Amino acid sequence: MTAPCDVAVIGAGPVGCATALAHARAGRRVLLLEASRRPPTRLAGEWIHPGGVAVLHRLGVGMPAPLSRPALGFVLHPEDRSPPIMLACPRGARAATVRHCELVAALRAIAADHPAITLTLGARVTSIRHTTVVYTREGGPEQHVRAGRIVGSDGQASLVRRAIHSGAPATTTPVTTATPATTVSRTAGVLLRGLTLPAEGYGHVFAGGPGPVLAYRLDDDTIRVTIDVPLSSRRSPDLPSYVQRGYARFLPASLSGPLCAALEQRAVQWAANRIRLRAFHGRGPYALVGDAVGTCHPLTASGLTIGLRDAECLARTEDIAAHGRRRRAAVRAHEHLAAAMHRIFCDPGRPTGDLRRSMYAVLRASGSERERMMRLLCAEELGPLPLAGAVLHVAGHAVRDQLVAGRCRTTWRTSVCACGDYLSWLRWMSRPPGHSWGW
């Protein structure tokens, strides 16, 4: 048995390191355990919304200047080649992009230097027994450590979450504890070098393909391009031709050619887009943060920001149940938005196409709607009313267009049917966010 600690954090990714730093700044002794000695090279979060950047600053962590790039927001490129729509970060704040592995390395170094944090790399946790964490280091003997709080920051396959559920009482309902994950699509990630983006300093979302394409700058020479690939397609050697057929015509020529060439060279990383409702944040001495709680579609680029806010909120409270209630309320609207954005860019149906065009028109015409959309996207709206207002504005625009079309080009019967389709969309949006992925 090693010396006890106040908090044991399992997983030293960005959110795990932030959790350790937040607890250490609150005066607690922290043991930070990580199975891997090297930062991960997999495709993972690289965009941090302004709220996440602010959390890091409050923890005394500035974004590593040589590694990160400031980002001003997003540019949405409609599929009809109409002018792009600029979506700036709320209140003129700045987001940041940074390679995931470099962010992990920087945060681990900061955590290791903190006198109240013991960072142990190569520590594989084998079990959790009440308030004791059991782990081994590189095949050595088991080590046991008692902790007043055990935090799981170990991703979607969290050992801490499994340990909590395995010891759950028979009366515990699955809805509040073990909400299953649903795979809705896959992301193909590619690095392109020596290119320029249409508007530097922004992330670019290209609509029109089977799924959206997101491109953003990582450093002076490197752009990350992520492609949302539906589950109906196969991860196979014909991916370059699939992208060429389904996506390339919606991208600028300066981007589509190098992208297809990179895919031909198999220079691609894959990640499954698994969705889990953020309904359970822990119980008793056990807490979950980041992806261990749940995940949204990566199109919103919100995973890192939500995880960093989890870390800061958890360190401020002794009551994990109250922490869970606050965090569930804080992200509920964002979960609805993530489901809606995935559908509006991926559903090939006519009603969704009409709503997507209405969304373009509303965003292009109204600065307040662009501001509201970005507050929702950055997970800064805590209640359901802003999202409801945005959805009703888009739906109202679509209904008005259909009624005008009914007088000019189509029959009233067609217009009424189309309005019924929009109402079905609104009913779908009103469902609990965990059920909104089944469209």
Side-chain angles (χ1 to χ4, degrees):
M1 179 72 71
T2 60
C5 62
D6 299 316
V7 181
V9 180
I10 300 173
V15 175
C17 291
T19 302
L21 288 165
H23 282 86
R25 287 175 65 86
R28 299 180 177 94
R29 295 167 299 155
V30 182
L31 175 64
L32 180 56
L33 301 173
E34 170 57 47
S36 175
R37 286 193 169 275
R38 295 182 178 179
T41 57
R42 68 182 184 279
L43 184 62
E46 295 175 326
W47 184 285
I48 307 177
H49 288 307
V53 175
V55 170
L56 291 175
H57 281 298
R58 286 193 293 270
L59 294 177
V61 179
M63 292 301 297
L67 307 179
S68 65
R69 301 276 302 197
L72 304 175
F74 293 96
V75 180
L76 176 56
H77 298 262
E79 62 273 21
D80 59 3
R81 302 287 184 178
S82 60
I85 302 166
M86 307 290 285
L87 299 169
C89 291
R91 299 176 301 279
R94 291 193 173 191
T97 59
V98 58
R99 290 176 187 263
H100 188 80
C101 60
E102 294 176 349
L103 177 63
V104 171
L107 290 177
R108 285 183 184 177
I110 294 170
D113 286 342
H114 199 289
I117 299 175
T118 301
L119 172 61
T120 306
L121 300 177
R124 185 170 300 278
V125 176
T126 56
S127 65
I128 299 171
R129 305 168 187 171
H130 303 294
T131 57
T132 299
V133 178
V134 182
Y135 66 96
T136 61
R137 294 188 66 185
E138 299 174 342
E142 283 189 346
Q143 300 189 49
H144 300 235
V145 60
R146 285 193 301 269
R149 171 179 288 180
I150 299 173
V151 182
S153 180
D154 44 348
Q156 299 181 40
S158 171
L159 173 65
V160 178
R161 187 178 61 237
R162 296 200 303 272
I164 298 171
H165 297 331
S166 64
T171 57
T172 300
T173 59
V175 173
T176 58
T177 58
T179 306
T182 302
T183 302
V184 296
S185 62
R186 298 191 306 272
T187 292
V190 179
L191 292 175
L192 302 179
R193 293 180 170 82
L195 304 179
T196 58
L197 290 169
E200 290 291 350
Y202 288 83
H204 292 259
V205 179
F206 300 94
V213 176
L214 172 63
Y216 53 89
R217 183 164 295 283
L218 282 176
D219 59 40
D220 290 342
D221 188 55
T222 309
I223 292 171
R224 169 77 75 187
V225 179
T226 63
I227 308 165
D228 189 81
V229 181
L231 294 177
S232 56
S233 66
R234 297 179 296 117
R235 188 195 306 181
S236 64
D238 65 354
L239 177 65
S241 60
Y242 178 77
V243 171
Q244 182 69 42
R245 292 192 309 271
Y247 296 83
R249 68 181 183 276
F250 303 108
L251 303 176
S254 60
L255 197 61
S256 61
L259 174 62
C260 291
L263 294 174
E264 290 282 358
Q265 299 170 7
R266 306 293 187 267
V268 59
Q269 291 179 291
W270 287 94
N273 298 328
R274 296 187 180 95
I275 309 306
R276 186 193 300 272
L277 183 64
R278 292 175 58 85
F280 181 66
H281 290 74
R283 176 178 45 243
Y286 311 111
L288 303 173
V289 292
D291 288 354
V293 180
T295 51
C296 293
H297 192 280
L299 175 63
T300 62
S302 60
L304 271 177
T305 299
I306 290 175
L308 293 171
R309 285 177 166 164
D310 284 346
E312 185 179 49
C313 179
L314 178 62
R316 290 174 174 174
T317 182
E318 298 294 333
D319 187 343
I320 290 176
H323 160 76
R325 288 191 295 270
R326 285 193 293 270
R327 294 305 297 150
R328 283 194 298 274
V331 301
R332 190 171 294 124
H334 186 82
E335 289 178 318
H336 277 288
L337 176 70
M341 295 296 288
H342 177 255
R343 180 176 181 180
I344 208 164
F345 285 118
C346 299
D347 182 0
R350 181 195 54 77
T352 301
D354 291 343
L355 289 170
R356 186 169 60 249
R357 287 185 288 275
S358 292
M359 180 186 72
Y360 296 154
V362 166
L363 292 176
R364 185 172 283 117
S366 173
S368 61
E369 285 299 327
R370 293 194 294 273
E371 176 82 6
R372 176 158 63 178
M373 172 63 76
M374 284 303 292
R375 290 200 308 269
L376 288 163
L377 191 67
C378 296
E380 294 185 6
E381 290 291 356
L382 305 185
L385 292 180
L387 177 61
V391 171
L392 289 173
H393 194 167
V394 170
H397 186 281
V399 168
R400 186 173 64 251
D401 276 2
Q402 275 299 325
L403 294 178
V404 171
R407 292 196 299 269
C408 302
R409 299 188 302 276
T410 66
T411 66
W412 279 100
R413 184 184 299 274
T414 301
S415 296
V416 170
C417 290
C419 293
D421 292 333
Y422 305 151
L423 291 176
S424 296
W425 234 95
L426 293 177
R427 285 196 298 270
W428 173 83
M429 276 292 297
S430 67
R431 300 167 67 191
H435 303 281
S436 295
W437 295 96
W439 48 267

